[in-house]
């Protein structure tokens, strides 16, 4: 079965002192069924390496408590054992389209990988709006992330005006066709549907409105020859997700997870959202 994926997007919030209390609250509220989902934390980039080290040192302690002599293990063995213990994966909030070079202020996909990331959010509507990112740039960034072995979480979603004018499905189709790299092998394509008017506003579309868009995204990708090398697709919903609506959204057919902003800033709430009642049976595989 395709695993759900629940992502915390801290955006430009929190600093070093906030990390340990958040992790403490998260761990104390995560249930045993957490391995049913991939859980991902996307903090500001400057915190990534610090969080990775904290998680690693806890994992080493657990291995030692289990009687493993970590000094005798090769780097590969150690990596395998520690990653098997990891509940919280790390992701970046953005990466550069270029691999490296004179791009002041940018962070490369490789840097994210080196700091412990497996994922990276690309094309969030705040990047599209405040940094003028367009579909073609998002496509290049996604390709760079894939080339570095990161899983891009590609964000799409309509404005309130497009929703009201009834043009949202065509707009989203356009975003899909231009933002997702074509004719390449993608093992795990992750798309986050985030209606812009729902982000940070407390307003969410009805369950049937979310289902309509998610089905349309799913059909657009699965029926397009140019995406025939996509093996698996996970479509997430994002926008004002909280503890009261998470289980209902996760139960929508073809929804494979959530992208959580404001409600992820509290570790206990995010842990509870991550282990919301999981409804199985939404398997999607193009293989
Ligand atoms: P929100 O943000 O949960 O605060 O609405 C979601 C997002 O922007 O990813």
């Amino acid at each position: 079965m395709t695993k759900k994926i629940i992502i915390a997007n801290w955006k430009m919030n929190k600093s070093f002192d906030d990390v340990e209390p958040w992790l403490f609250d998260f761990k104390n509220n995560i249930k045993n069924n957490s391995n049913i989902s991939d859980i991902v934390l996307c903090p500001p980039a400057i915190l990534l390496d610090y969080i990775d080290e904290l998680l690693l040192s806890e994992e080493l302690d657990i291995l030692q408590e289990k009687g493993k002599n970590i000094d005798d293990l090769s780097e590969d063995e150690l990596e395998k054992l520690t990653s098997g213990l990891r509940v919280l994966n790390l992701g970046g909030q953005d990466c550069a389209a270029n691999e490296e070079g004179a791009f002041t202020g940018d962070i490369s996909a490789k840097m994210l990988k080196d700091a412990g990331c497996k994922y990276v959010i690309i094309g969030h509507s705040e990047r599209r709006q405040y940094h003028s990112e367009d579909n073609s740039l998002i496509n290049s960034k996604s390709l760079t992330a894939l080339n570095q072995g990161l899983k891009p979480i590609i964000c799409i979603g309509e404005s309130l005006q497009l929703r009201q004018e009834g043009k949202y499905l065509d707009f989203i189709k356009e975003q899909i066709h231009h933002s997702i790299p074509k004719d390449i092998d993608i093992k795990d394509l992750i798309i986050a549907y985030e209606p812009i008017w729902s982000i940070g506003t407390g307003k969410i579309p009805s369950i049937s409105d979310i289902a309509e868009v998610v089905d349309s995204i799913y059909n657009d990708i699965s029926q397009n020859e140019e995406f025939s090398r996509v093996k698996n697709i996970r479509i997430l919903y994002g926008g004002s997700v909280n503890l009261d609506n998470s289980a209902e959204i996760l139960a929508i057919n073809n929804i494979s997870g959530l992208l959580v902003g404001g409600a992820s800033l509290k570790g206990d709430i995010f842990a509870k959202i991550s282990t919301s009642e999981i409804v199985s049976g939404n398997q999607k595989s193009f293989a």
Side-chain angles (χ1 to χ4, degrees), residues 1-4 36-37 232 278-284:
M1 189 187 102
T2 301
K3 265 187 162 188
K4 302 275 182 190
I36 294 176
S37 305
N232 189 56
I278 305 289
V279 180
S280 60
N282 293 343
Q283 188 159 3
K284 291 162 291 301

Side-chain angles (χ1 to χ4, degrees), residues 211-222:
E212 179 194 34
V213 176
V214 168
D215 284 347
S216 160
I217 296 171
Y218 184 71
N219 291 335
D220 278 348
I221 298 172
S222 56

Side-chain angles (χ1 to χ4, degrees), residues 127-191:
R127 300 286 318 170
R128 291 177 186 260
Q129 185 180 352
Y130 304 127
H131 296 266
S132 310
E133 296 196 0
D134 61 13
N135 290 330
S136 121
L137 180 64
I138 288 156
N139 190 310
S140 306
K141 289 184 171 196
S142 301
L143 197 56
T144 307
L146 286 164
N147 286 339
Q148 284 297 333
L150 289 174
K151 294 183 180 187
I153 300 152
I154 303 172
C155 299
I156 54 178
E158 80 283 2
S159 65
L160 187 58
Q161 193 184 344
L162 287 164
R163 163 69 54 176
Q164 286 168 341
E165 288 170 356
K167 295 180 182 156
Y168 54 100
L169 289 180
D170 285 343
F171 177 78
I172 289 166
K173 201 173 185 153
E174 183 83 4
Q175 284 188 318
I176 290 172
H177 285 269
H178 294 104
S179 306
I180 304 174
K182 290 177 174 159
D183 296 318
I184 61 159
D185 291 320
I186 306 182
K187 267 200 220 133
D188 186 19
L189 177 63
I190 306 171
I191 303 290

Side-chain angles (χ1 to χ4, degrees), residues 9 11 124 126 194 198-200 239-241 259-262:
N9 177 11
K11 309 190 179 186
H124 189 282
E126 287 150 16
E194 298 205 297
S198 178
I199 295 175
S240 295
V241 171
L259 180 48
V260 189

Side-chain angles (χ1 to χ4, degrees), residues 68-99:
K68 293 259 180 236
N69 189 346
I70 55 175
D71 296 332
D72 289 348
L73 298 170
S74 70
E75 236 176 76
D76 282 355
E77 286 168 329
L78 203 56
E79 154 108 47
K80 215 170 159 196
L81 287 172
T82 52
S83 64
L85 292 170
R86 191 159 289 205
V87 173
L88 198 59
N89 298 285
L90 290 174
Q93 295 180 8
D94 174 50
C95 73
N98 297 82
E99 304 268 339

